[in-house]
Amino acid sequence: MSTHNPQHPQGVIITIDGPAGTGKSTVAHLLAVRLGLEFLDTGAMYRAVALIAIEHDIDPHDGPALAAALQAADLHFDFRTDPPPMMLGDRDVSRRIRESDVSDIVSIAAAHRALRGELVEQQRRVAERHPRLVTEGRDQGSVVFPDAGLRFYLDAELNVRAARRARQLVQAGLRVDRDLIERDIIERDRLDSGRADGPLVRPPGAVEIDTSDHTAEQVVDSLETIAREKLPDAEFKR
Ligand code: DC
């Protein structure tokens, strides 16, 4: 088999980049299940660092302090469960990192070069130990695994992305303000696209998919078809 995972000769990596509200996480996990690959949610890692900042009273603008706190923390996924929960030591923080105090500061924390460098290293180490992987995040195809076997970029119209985010919040039992959600998304896009290090970009050569008019299942159908077509020797689950 040819190399589709630069970290591992027998591996295969599929990356999914794109902005918030495109359904990236849902789609990436479903795709991993269908193809029999493992799943890496890199946004969870940035969120966990934001949680560390909150709990240790670290200013999210202080990159070196965040990077030092990350190095001191035992941040890892528990790959015995699917999807793998985000662990801080022996504490499962998967739900906690979706709360609004974390969401409010995560883009600020995610802008720091030293911190990104450390998380990129950790993501590549995950790909060595878990060589058959669907990985999802703003920079996975552009920076972390530019030589991955297959790279996707998901996008959707702003109003669709805001509606999806509103639905998630309602399902979580929270009150929603649609205007505020749209403003939040615009601001997060601005921060994620404008940062100097690992900005949100359309990776050249990635397959672009507009998810505006499609359900997650429909998007996964397309990605699965493309993956089986483009990587015929990857020995995916049938
Ligand atoms: O996908 P998400 O909402 O869980 O991501 C949380 C934040 O982390 C978001 O502000 C973008 C940032 N992020 C990043 O900069 N690089 C990644 N690979 C993944 C997420």
Side-chain angles (χ1 to χ4, degrees):
M1 196 175 89
S2 56
T3 302
H4 300 306
N5 174 350
Q7 312 306 124
H8 194 288
Q10 274 89 45
V12 55
I13 292 196
I14 297 177
T15 61
I16 304 187
D17 295 17
T22 51
K24 256 189 343 268
S25 282
T26 311
V27 163
H29 180 240
L30 288 172
L31 181 67
V33 170
R34 287 207 200 167
L35 297 175
L37 306 181
E38 291 185 292
F39 166 60
L40 177 62
D41 170 1
T42 63
M45 302 171 86
Y46 288 91
R47 287 174 177 274
V49 172
L51 178 61
I52 293 172
I54 292 168
E55 293 185 340
H56 292 256
D57 217 2
I58 298 168
D59 180 350
H61 295 92
D62 187 345
L66 286 179
L70 169 62
Q71 271 162 358
D74 173 20
L75 181 67
H76 64 277
F77 289 98
D78 180 357
F79 277 95
R80 292 170 305 178
T81 310
D82 183 63
M86 180 86 269
M87 307 295 295
L88 254 182
D90 52 14
R91 183 159 61 112
D92 179 351
V93 295
S94 311
R95 289 180 69 86
R96 175 69 184 90
I97 58 175
R98 306 282 149 202
E99 289 177 21
S100 60
D101 57 342
V102 171
S103 300
D104 286 347
I105 62 164
V106 63
S107 284
I108 300 169
H112 300 297
R113 175 178 291 264
L115 175 66
R116 297 198 70 82
E118 175 62 26
L119 286 180
V120 167
E121 281 290 305
Q122 291 194 11
Q123 290 153 17
R124 290 184 179 142
R125 283 204 295 273
V126 170
E128 282 168 22
R129 270 179 269 129
H130 302 272
R132 294 171 60 77
L133 204 59
V134 176
T135 176
E136 170 275 285
R138 313 267 188 301
D139 60 350
Q140 296 300 288
S142 55
V143 172
V144 187
F145 303 109
D147 300 321
L150 182 56
R151 296 171 304 145
F152 290 107
Y153 184 88
L154 300 191
D155 210 348
E157 285 157 22
L158 178 63
N159 63 332
V160 174
R161 294 165 59 204
R164 286 176 182 156
R165 176 55 51 96
R167 208 174 318 126
Q168 280 171 351
L169 294 174
V170 169
Q171 277 165 1
L174 299 167
R175 281 164 39 116
V176 299
D177 173 341
R178 269 296 293 274
D179 285 348
L180 190 63
I181 290 174
E182 280 205 14
R183 283 205 299 278
D184 271 1
I185 290 182
I186 292 169
E187 175 62 7
R188 184 166 299 206
D189 282 357
R190 191 183 68 75
L191 289 172
D192 288 343
S193 306
R195 65 178 174 234
D197 208 50
L200 172 66
V201 292
R202 293 166 188 270
V207 179
E208 292 192 22
I209 310 260
D210 188 324
T211 71
S212 304
D213 299 324
H214 301 288
T215 64
E217 287 289 337
Q218 290 169 332
V219 176
V220 181
D221 287 345
S222 308
L223 302 195
E224 183 184 1
T225 304
I226 295 169
R228 292 189 188 279
E229 223 171 74
K230 295 217 172 211
L231 303 175
D233 56 354
E235 296 172 9
F236 292 134
K237 187 173 92 186
R238 281 284 149 197

